[in-house]
Amino acid sequence: MTREAADRLLARVWSELGRDEGELALLAPLPDAPLPARLDVSALAVASAAAASLAGWAHAATPGSIRLDGDRIAGAFQSERVARFDGVAPEVWSPLSGFRRARDGWVRTHGNYPHHAAALRRVLGLSNADAAVPALVDAAVAERGARELAAEVTEAGGMCVVVEPEDPAADARLASGPLIELVQLGDAPVRPPTGSEAGPLPLAGIRVLDLTRVIAGPVATRTLALLGAQVLRIDPPEPAELGWQHLEGGPGKRTALLDARTADGAARLDALVAGADVVVLGYRPNSLAGIGLDPASLAARHPGLVVGQLSAWGHEGDAARRGGFDSLVQAASGIALIEGTDGAPGSLPAQALDHASGYLLAAAICSLLDRRRLEGGSLLARLSLRRTAAELLRLPRRTDSAGPRSLDDAAREALAVDLAGPAGTQRIAVPAIASPAGPMEWGSPPHAWGSDAPEWAE
């Protein structure tokens, strides 16, 4: 079932991207990825990695088919399980992140970032010390109504959603539109890559400005770097990115700090946009619009730009104002209850909405670069984690009791590599995507957060 579902999903994505159906013949038969769940996470993972691989290499001169490895895809989707930084495993989840039972239902909180954790503590009336004791957090949540608590935490600037049952009608409405939305933002002449085109990789000469955080956006941009693009990630100085998360998403990139809310920072950032082929956006859509970094404004100032955009919930109306993460979208979309047991919510075996959305965005950006090379234009591709969730919920579900195999710890460790560089030694899962020459490998180690100059390399 999984392989057939992956084939169908990939064919639909390829059609949405306006690609030639004959290019699909460049792929060897798709594998299964060992990501056991009631929902078909394997099909979503394999189809998204296949789309990125094929979009990157479809026009490459290297002959031969592209053969994907299902174990490598699963390892990449579960990359946080093998992450080591100077030999130390990161604390992936804060004590304030997780499912908790409220007075009248379940909520999912997210406190990995300090400012989100502070908002949760304020609403729950907990000290720093109390918040580190799970039983005290559980007791504080249990006193509150689920919807009341979620609304109050959100109003305070924190992250909390009610764990909801699946809503087939809502998913059908979402799924009636494209998984990847492509928009022509304006006319512009055919535009060659901004940088040098010399190099064996398909995106050599392409400059990508990375304005993303967490998982989905960095997965997209590290994939573009793997395909040969020069990727420069820009972060605001505050709040700081989680150190391990930045490094895990950072192979092949440079990283610098700029505050676009200041006049000088905005001017320097706009100069970087002027030298870019692609800008990838991963912050709340309404926040970007407030500082002139929305896709339409960027394209108006810089015709010929390709823009990729990711959001948690969507890009219009209230959805554009909401922040969120993969785990919260799983909880609010019904996935958590489907994957749970005995009435308690559960999780997918990976942050699959993030990873799949990242690979799909990378595929879309490669396709739009091809289109710009042939037809010109200012072009946008955008996805949301909630729309990706609707796609997963539409796939066939497992009915057998055994389920597919999963990777054990030893298998995951065998699918990781040590990268030594200026930020120390990082152990990171090997790439999911492949080329006609075989599996791809990271080109360079990540840099420490904000350690590079905010300028394009020669």
Side-chain angles (χ1 to χ4, degrees):
M1 177 193 297
T2 292
R3 287 184 179 129
E4 291 80 3
D7 284 333
R8 289 194 298 271
L9 178 54
L10 175 60
R12 215 180 94 243
V13 166
W14 213 241
S15 176
E16 284 186 6
L17 294 179
R19 304 292 301 235
D20 182 352
E21 183 179 346
E23 292 172 332
L24 295 173
L26 296 172
L27 280 172
L30 296 181
D32 286 336
L35 292 165
R38 292 189 176 95
L39 297 172
D40 202 345
V41 179
S42 176
L44 180 66
V46 169
S48 59
S53 301
L54 188 56
W57 289 97
H59 298 309
T62 306
S65 65
I66 298 172
R67 184 174 299 276
L68 294 163
D69 183 314
D71 284 7
R72 286 176 70 109
I73 293 171
F77 269 63
Q78 296 179 324
S79 56
E80 74 281 355
R81 302 193 189 191
V82 298
R84 300 289 184 275
F85 301 98
D86 288 334
V88 178
E91 294 185 10
V92 175
W93 294 106
S94 156
L96 280 171
S97 295
F99 294 110
R100 289 188 162 84
R101 188 187 288 275
R103 190 176 60 236
D104 55 357
W106 289 87
V107 296
R108 174 91 194 207
T109 56
H110 196 290
N112 285 14
Y113 282 92
H115 60 297
H116 293 152
L120 278 164
R121 289 196 303 269
R122 288 195 304 272
V123 171
L124 295 173
L126 297 172
S127 68
N128 286 350
D130 289 345
V133 181
L136 294 178
V137 181
D138 291 345
V141 172
E143 296 175 354
R144 308 291 294 273
R147 297 195 184 282
E148 166 206 350
L149 178 60
E152 192 172 343
V153 170
T154 300
E155 180 66 25
M159 293 286 173
C160 178
V161 300
V162 178
V163 177
E164 302 278 13
E166 181 181 6
D167 185 344
D171 290 320
R173 286 193 298 272
L174 285 168
S176 66
L179 175 56
I180 306 169
E181 185 180 1
L182 301 183
V183 179
Q184 177 146 349
L185 297 169
D187 296 326
V190 170
R191 176 174 159 180
T194 302
S196 168
E197 294 186 64
L201 295 170
L203 295 188
I206 296 294
R207 290 176 175 174
V208 176
L209 192 63
D210 179 357
L211 306 181
T212 73
R213 282 193 170 191
V214 197
I215 299 174
V219 164
T221 52
R222 78 182 184 188
T223 301
L224 299 175
L226 192 61
L227 291 166
Q230 180 189 162
V231 178
L232 175 61
R233 173 169 163 168
I234 299 292
D235 282 77
E238 294 289 341
E241 176 62 299
L242 303 178
W244 76 268
Q245 199 161 257
H246 172 77
L247 292 169
E248 212 227 6
K253 305 180 189 178
R254 293 166 56 250
T255 162
L257 303 180
L258 279 178
D259 190 346
R261 294 164 294 189
T262 68
D264 179 65
R268 295 176 73 187
L269 184 60
D270 205 56
L272 290 172
V273 176
D277 296 282
V278 178
V279 175
V280 185
L281 306 171
Y283 295 86
R284 300 184 198 190
N286 74 309
S287 298
L288 293 169
I291 55 175
L293 291 177
D294 56 290
S297 298
L298 289 169
R301 295 197 303 272
H302 305 284
L305 198 63
V306 170
V307 182
Q309 186 171 30
L310 289 158
S311 71
W313 306 100
H315 298 89
E316 308 293 343
D318 289 341
R321 290 184 281 275
R322 291 182 69 188
F325 300 100
D326 184 307
S327 59
L328 301 182
V329 176
Q330 287 189 40
S333 65
I335 291 173
L337 289 178
I338 292 170
E339 296 295 338
T341 55
D342 299 326
S347 300
L348 298 174
Q351 301 287 289
L353 308 180
D354 264 329
H355 285 271
S357 297
Y359 290 116
L360 291 170
L361 186 63
I365 288 169
C366 290
S367 296
L368 291 184
L369 285 167
D370 285 341
R371 179 171 152 187
R372 188 186 71 171
R373 177 174 54 83
L374 298 172
E375 303 172 10
S378 302
L379 305 167
L380 166 67
R382 61 185 185 183
L383 298 93
S384 74
L385 302 188
R386 182 62 184 88
R387 176 63 184 86
T388 302
E391 197 65 30
L392 177 60
L393 288 161
R394 294 177 71 231
L395 292 172
R397 301 180 185 184
R398 177 169 65 83
T399 56
D400 61 293
S401 58
R405 69 183 177 92
S406 61
L407 292 177
D408 59 25
D409 290 342
R412 286 193 199 92
E413 288 295 331
L415 294 166
V417 62
D418 290 325
L419 302 176
T425 299
Q426 290 82 43
R427 188 159 182 78
I428 296 176
V430 295
I433 71 168
S435 77
M440 299 194 71
E441 307 298 340
W442 301 119
S444 61
H447 294 191
W449 185 67
S451 60
D452 295 297
E455 59 191 27
W456 295 111
E458 294 295 332

